Amino acid sequence: MKTVSIVYFSGGGHTTKMAEAVVAGARSVVGINVNLLAISGDDITKGRYVNDALFAQLDASDAIILGSPTYMGDVAGQMKCFLDAGGSRWYSRGWVDKLAAGFTVSGGPSGDKLHTLQTFFIFAMQCGMVWVSHNEMPGDPNGKNRLSSYSGAMGQAGQEAPDVAPNAADKSAGVALGARVAAAVLRWNR
Ligand SMILES: Cc1cc2nc3c(=O)[nH]c(=O)nc-3n(C[C@H](O)[C@H](O)[C@H](O)COP(=O)(O)O)c2cc1C
């Protein structure tokens, strides 16, 4: 069995819905074990994120999919604290050659959320990971790439309840990304 971990932060529950969609996609691939790991602000003290158990699960993973809402055009502060803690894995080179991918949710159709995916991408590159794209064609408002993103899966949700937004199309983007990463893990580790 290969393991795909989805590690994410959600302040209001919308990104949780995307994370659950990514989990469903990864679980649809035979031979894949899936972890869903939420970042909690309770694990941040004086700006430092500490959760050894969560990092141990990521160390044992073959792929790590990163998710965050877009806050002020970037990852949420809680996620940034987690990424900074991941600097220990940059130093140890412990995550070299793991697969990586990302997803985000923002209120606007753009909302500058590409920048959130780019933050994840740069983190993954610094750690020597291998980035998996979101390989879905755009153009269908009900399709798997409604928001035309190739760097990762995007969803849109503002003031609506998390049960309403991100909508079914955006969640299908999450499902597609999870399945793509899971299939890629099996090929990468053949
Ligand atoms: C502090 C804060 C900053 C935000 N900044 C942006 C932004 O830059 N662009 C945008 O489109 N939406 C922005 N939003 C809206 C959130 O991205 C959106 O509501 C998202 O669905 C929240 O996800 P969550 O419920 O998982 O926290 C912001 C929301 C908050 C609370």
Side-chain angles (χ1 to χ4, degrees):
M1 289 285 271
K2 298 299 174 190
T3 298
V4 174
S5 288
I6 293 90
V7 59
Y8 76 102
F9 172 77
S10 179
H14 301 90
T15 309
T16 300
K17 294 295 182 184
M18 280 293 278
E20 291 169 351
V22 175
V23 166
R27 285 212 172 116
S28 71
V29 177
V30 175
I32 295 293
N33 175 54
V34 182
N35 296 322
L36 180 61
L37 306 170
I39 300 296
S40 168
D42 293 342
D43 291 331
I44 299 168
T45 304
K46 294 186 176 178
R48 292 180 65 87
Y49 179 87
V50 179
N51 186 328
D52 291 341
L54 183 140
F55 268 94
Q57 285 186 277
L58 296 176
D59 290 342
S61 300
D62 301 286
I64 299 172
I65 305 178
L66 302 152
S68 174
T70 293
Y71 287 171
M72 307 316 296
D74 207 335
V75 297
Q78 292 88 341
M79 174 54 70
K80 185 64 170 81
C81 288
F82 160 77
L83 296 177
D84 289 354
S88 61
R89 272 52 179 181
W90 165 81
Y91 188 74
S92 69
R93 309 314 290 157
W95 290 357
V96 167
D97 284 351
K98 292 185 191 299
L99 300 194
F103 63 94
T104 184
V105 179
S106 85
S110 165
D112 292 326
K113 61 181 167 279
L114 173 61
H115 189 235
T116 299
L117 295 177
Q118 289 173 332
T119 292
F120 285 146
F121 170 77
I122 289 170
F123 171 81
M125 295 302 96
Q126 291 202 345
C127 290
M129 302 171 83
V130 178
W131 192 256
V132 178
S133 62
H134 182 51
N135 181 39
E136 300 294 337
M137 290 301 284
D140 179 353
N142 300 310
K144 296 174 188 170
N145 201 358
R146 173 177 85 87
L147 293 168
S148 302
S149 169
Y150 308 96
S151 302
M154 289 182 173
Q156 184 183 2
Q159 301 300 314
E160 310 94 325
D163 284 343
V164 176
N167 68 16
D170 293 347
K171 285 186 278 195
S172 76
V175 170
L177 183 73
R180 176 166 166 78
V181 171
V185 158
L186 296 179
R187 288 201 302 276
W188 184 243
N189 292 287
R190 212 158 24 206

